Amino acid sequence: MKKISLILLGSFYLTIARAQQPIDSIKKIEEEDFSQYANVEVATSTVVTKKYCSQKIVGLSPAKLISIGYDYVGNNELGLDTFDNIYGNQATILNNSGVRLAANFPVISNNKMILNLGFSYLDFKYRFKEPINNIHPFNYTLAKNGLRSYGLNGTLFKPLNETHFLILQSSLDLNGDFALTEFPISEALKVSGALLYGFKPHERLQYAFGVTRTYRAGEVNYLPIFLYNYTFKNKKWGIEMLLPARANVRYTFNARNMLFAGFELEGNSYALTKMTNDFNLIQYKNLQLRRSEIRARITYERSLYKFIWISLQAGYRINYNMNIDNGEFYRGFGDKPYLLNNSLSSALYFNFSLNLVSP
């Protein structure tokens, strides 16, 4: 009995010993040698991603996608030159006012190109102190017909790399003393444009140099232009300008409140076809009003709700050109005198607009 017990006890310990033996001693598993990966390098991508600068800088005022505004100019005096057998005189304009509409929409927007297309409309009415049936032809057409402008425009922003860009802008306008259904295309059509080459050293500065064909001075001009947008380090103050067209100093109360002080040169050439027809002035081939003015102004802009902004503007309108040409296409050296050399006194003006701005 004792011998049997010893045999059973030995078998028990042998079973335990085998159970505790490592598995790799029962079945050898080859270990992985990680040293074989010591000289392996991570593969780099062969695709080169080019970076482009954006059209905005930090703190820049939001671009207006849709703008609906009303313009009012106070009392001023219009001095009229002699026209044929009609003597010049002085006319009092009680006020002139009008509606302004503008829209610009991005039709292509990606890292490589941004293309905006839009339209504009301007309608100015003139209210005279004198009755319109006893005055100069120019007074008559301003009082009866006013001035209108219908425009189509496009702007292309083309970044070249992280710090350089191109801007191409063009516009096509129909301007005159007539309604849209009455316009004569050959006399009223005006083409303007600009090309700029720019730099963006950092996110608070962009500037560019270029040339423009413009009617802002009344008659067509070819001029050098300079774009400069800068936000100071404190992000409260900034400068936004495109010389010689406009310039503003900007103060930012916060992201939803901005104040501007500056000026804008505004103008165009208007075909006076209604005046020609009303007074049977067939001896003149193409009467054009060269209207241009400088507006020194203060503007306050505020967000009413998300992307809906209001703009309130007040300033002083200074006349630059209110003369009439007879078919003179371009004024340089040796030009014929204006057909009428008119004058217009300065006046206070106000502008109100409601705007939908870009995000």
Side-chain angles (χ1 to χ4, degrees):
M1 186 69 181
K2 183 177 180 181
K3 185 181 290 186
I4 294 173
S5 299
L6 289 174
I7 292 172
L8 293 175
L9 184 61
S11 299
F12 174 75
Y13 281 112
L14 181 61
T15 302
I16 293 177
R18 287 182 176 178
Q20 292 178 344
Q21 187 176 4
I23 295 176
D24 58 356
S25 67
I26 300 173
K27 185 178 181 180
K28 181 67 175 177
I29 300 176
E30 184 179 356
E31 293 184 357
E32 188 170 14
D33 182 10
F34 290 97
S35 65
Q36 63 182 312
Y37 304 117
N39 297 321
V40 175
E41 296 181 357
V42 178
T44 58
S45 174
T46 58
V47 179
V48 178
T49 303
K50 189 173 181 179
K51 295 182 179 180
Y52 297 97
C53 59
S54 68
Q55 66 174 340
K56 297 180 180 180
I57 65 168
V58 174
L60 193 68
S61 59
K64 297 176 175 63
L65 300 178
I66 300 176
S67 180
I68 303 173
Y70 179 77
D71 207 89
Y72 180 90
V73 182
N75 184 282
N76 54 97
E77 296 291 324
L78 176 61
L80 294 148
D81 198 1
T82 298
F83 188 38
D84 284 353
N85 59 346
I86 304 172
Y87 289 104
N89 56 53
Q90 195 82 6
T92 299
I93 302 175
L94 297 177
N95 61 72
N96 68 279
S97 59
V99 175
R100 293 173 180 261
L101 303 176
N104 283 281
F105 300 102
V107 294
I108 300 176
S109 182
N110 53 52
N111 291 337
K112 297 181 179 180
M113 181 175 65
I114 298 176
L115 175 62
N116 289 351
L117 297 179
F119 67 87
S120 61
Y121 172 72
L122 171 64
D123 184 2
F124 267 148
K125 302 294 186 183
Y126 291 80
R127 181 168 169 251
F128 283 85
K129 183 178 180 180
E130 299 86 356
I132 65 173
N133 60 344
N134 292 324
I135 56 176
H136 197 282
F138 186 45
N139 288 52
Y140 182 88
T141 196
L142 289 181
K144 180 183 176 183
N145 305 309
L147 297 174
R148 295 176 188 84
S149 179
Y150 314 85
L152 297 174
N153 59 79
T155 303
L156 174 66
F157 177 84
K158 173 61 179 175
L160 303 176
N161 49 44
E162 290 184 83
T163 56
H164 297 81
F165 60 87
L166 290 173
I167 297 177
L168 176 63
Q169 186 274 334
S170 63
S171 62
L172 189 66
D173 299 302
L174 291 169
N175 310 315
D177 60 348
F178 45 78
L180 183 59
T181 56
E182 304 169 315
F183 65 81
I185 292 180
S186 59
E187 294 86 1
L189 188 63
K190 302 294 181 291
V191 180
S192 303
L195 176 64
L196 297 110
Y197 180 77
F199 306 82
K200 188 177 181 181
H202 52 77
E203 291 302 315
R204 294 183 294 104
L205 171 64
Q206 63 178 187
Y207 60 94
F209 303 90
V211 293
T212 182
R213 170 192 166 98
T214 178
Y215 284 88
R216 285 182 178 265
E219 57 264 1
V220 64
N221 283 280
Y222 298 87
L223 300 171
I225 52 176
F226 176 56
L227 169 74
Y228 185 80
N229 292 322
Y230 178 69
T231 299
F232 290 86
K233 288 184 178 180
N234 60 16
K235 298 182 182 180
K236 288 290 186 181
W237 292 93
I239 298 172
E240 300 179 17
M241 66 182 186
L242 178 61
L243 296 177
R246 59 182 175 272
N248 282 296
V249 175
R250 180 189 70 244
Y251 181 77
T252 303
F253 297 100
N254 54 55
R256 297 167 61 88
N257 292 272
M258 294 182 177
L259 184 67
F260 305 84
F263 75 90
E264 181 167 6
L265 175 64
E266 180 183 286
N268 222 314
S269 184
Y270 297 79
L272 299 176
T273 54
K274 293 286 283 183
M275 186 178 93
T276 302
N277 296 334
D278 290 341
F279 287 85
N280 196 28
L281 302 173
I282 58 175
Q283 69 271 33
Y284 300 104
K285 54 185 179 180
N286 183 8
L287 293 178
Q288 295 276 337
L289 168 63
R290 311 302 193 184
R291 172 185 167 269
S292 180
E293 60 193 35
I294 300 171
R295 294 189 166 202
R297 64 198 186 182
I298 294 176
T299 307
Y300 174 67
E301 295 186 352
R302 176 186 175 87
S303 171
L304 295 179
Y305 178 73
K306 294 185 177 180
F307 304 119
I308 299 176
W309 284 55
I310 189 174
S311 177
L312 301 174
Q313 189 177 112
Y316 198 60
R317 187 205 65 185
I318 304 167
N319 179 63
Y320 182 79
N321 195 343
M322 201 67 170
N323 301 323
I324 296 178
D325 255 334
N326 179 31
E328 189 78 12
F329 171 71
Y330 175 75
R331 289 192 161 272
F333 298 99
D335 297 299
K336 295 179 181 179
Y338 288 106
L339 183 64
L340 274 76
N341 282 282
N342 303 315
S343 63
L344 185 67
S345 65
S346 301
L348 295 173
Y349 86 93
F350 306 92
N351 179 276
F352 163 85
S353 67
L354 194 63
N355 310 285
L356 177 65
V357 306
S358 63

